[in-house]
Amino acid sequence: MAAITDLKFVQGFIRMCNDGWNQGWHERNGGNLSYRIKPEEIESARPYFHEPGEWREIGTSVPGLAGEYFMVTGSGKYMRNVILDAEDCTAVIELDEAGEHYRILWGLSGGGRPTSELPSHLMNHEVKKEVSGGTHRVIYHAHTTNVIALTFILPLTDEVFTRELWEMATECPVVFPDGIGVVGWMVPGGRDIAVATSELMKKYDVAIWAHHGMFCSGEDFDLTFGLMHTVEKSAEILIKMMSVQPQKRQTITPQNFRDLARDFKVTLPERFLYEKE
């Protein structure tokens, strides 16, 4: 008999959780993932839903997502276990018509709640749904080792992080041409960090949480995972370079970036192309 885990969007969700675990980004129960489900996907999943659970408060208000459905990882669940038992580690939830409550339709079979970062996920889904015209559907948070290390070394500014990571690999300004936002250290899981991140997500698809990890948004699982993977790999190159030779002997110049932008037909904000002293 078919199962909800045979559905393509569920398989994509499970694979992304496992890929992140294999990268070493999800120690213990670290990190979380959410996906805004398409209407036709909900119809294919509906036969597997159980009697809806009780309505629970989200902890914030997201009217732009009223009535939407999401697949999310569970609070306290381990990414390494999603591939083994998705029904226990993840859930499909529905939001009410005010965008202030959710209820569980499937999953978390052993009990529990959606990710503790649910307010951050949903506030950012609301922003990205609006600014992308509805194309963005994935929000991913992971504890990316090299990016976290850089937050102890580099100034916590959008300009510095964007420029330094762009310089580490030619593909970077093509993959994230809008740049990267940075949030100073904040207590995770609450509304304050959700608000700070959602402000950055109006401009960027990547937000770095100082001493914590990274938050990415994208249209689908491949693009979102690929975005995070690219940023983290660039951070790894920078960490290696700094450990061997703190000063660069040569690099990609502002004019090089402009030439790249012209040929690859992307727009790179000039504020990231400053001349370094």
Side-chain angles (χ1 to χ4, degrees), residues 14 19 40 51 60 65 75 81 87 100 107 152 241 269 277:
I14 293 170
D19 284 348
E40 63 272 20
E51 190 70 23
T60 190
L65 300 176
S75 179
N81 291 335
E87 189 170 6
E100 296 180 352
F152 292 92
M241 184 277 295
E277 295 181 0

Side-chain angles (χ1 to χ4, degrees), residues 194-261:
V195 171
T197 308
S198 62
E199 282 299 311
L200 290 177
M201 283 290 177
K202 293 176 182 178
K203 300 184 290 183
Y204 309 117
D205 293 337
V206 183
I208 290 172
W209 287 352
H211 324 318
H212 185 161
M214 196 172 3
F215 213 76
C216 287
S217 173
E219 296 182 14
D220 58 33
F221 297 119
D222 284 346
L223 287 171
T224 312
F225 186 86
L227 174 59
M228 186 170 291
H229 199 188
T230 301
V231 176
E232 170 63 5
K233 184 174 183 180
S234 182
E236 181 182 1
I237 296 169
L238 182 55
I239 289 288
K240 289 180 176 179
M241 184 277 295
M242 294 173 74
S243 68
V244 175
Q245 174 66 40
Q247 298 299 319
K248 302 170 190 146
R249 289 184 176 172
Q250 53 273 323
T251 189
I252 304 171
T253 69
Q255 188 55 49
N256 292 155
F257 283 125
R258 296 185 186 101
D259 295 341
L260 183 73

Side-chain angles (χ1 to χ4, degrees), residues 91-112:
V92 173
I93 64 172
E94 175 188 13
L95 303 195
D96 67 9
E97 292 306 314
E100 296 180 352
H101 299 81
Y102 73 90
R103 61 182 179 180
I104 298 173
L105 302 178
W106 175 88
L108 294 176
S109 57

Side-chain angles (χ1 to χ4, degrees), residues 72-97:
V72 298
T73 49
S75 179
K77 302 297 182 179
Y78 289 39
M79 285 287 195
R80 68 189 295 263
N81 291 335
V82 172
I83 197 170
L84 301 175
D85 191 351
E87 189 170 6
D88 178 64
C89 297
T90 69
V92 173
I93 64 172
E94 175 188 13
L95 303 195
D96 67 9
E97 292 306 314

Side-chain angles (χ1 to χ4, degrees), residues 30-129:
N32 28 70
L33 175 65
S34 64
Y35 171 66
R36 185 166 60 87
I37 307 171
K38 298 176 182 177
E40 63 272 20
E41 293 170 333
I42 279 296
E43 291 311 307
S44 67
R46 201 175 294 281
Y48 306 103
F49 294 163
H50 52 60
E51 190 70 23
E54 64 180 22
W55 290 106
R56 299 175 177 175
E57 290 188 356
I58 293 170
T60 190
S61 179
V62 284
L65 300 176
E68 294 258 22
Y69 297 80
F70 294 84
M71 187 168 186
V72 298
T73 49
S75 179
K77 302 297 182 179
Y78 289 39
M79 285 287 195
R80 68 189 295 263
N81 291 335
V82 172
I83 197 170
L84 301 175
D85 191 351
E87 189 170 6
D88 178 64
C89 297
T90 69
V92 173
I93 64 172
E94 175 188 13
L95 303 195
D96 67 9
E97 292 306 314
E100 296 180 352
H101 299 81
Y102 73 90
R103 61 182 179 180
I104 298 173
L105 302 178
W106 175 88
L108 294 176
S109 57
R113 303 171 70 92
T115 169
S116 62
E117 299 284 1
L118 188 64
S120 288
H121 277 258
L122 294 181
M123 290 185 71
N124 284 281
H125 272 292
E126 184 179 43
V127 167
K128 299 309 287 189
K129 178 183 177 182

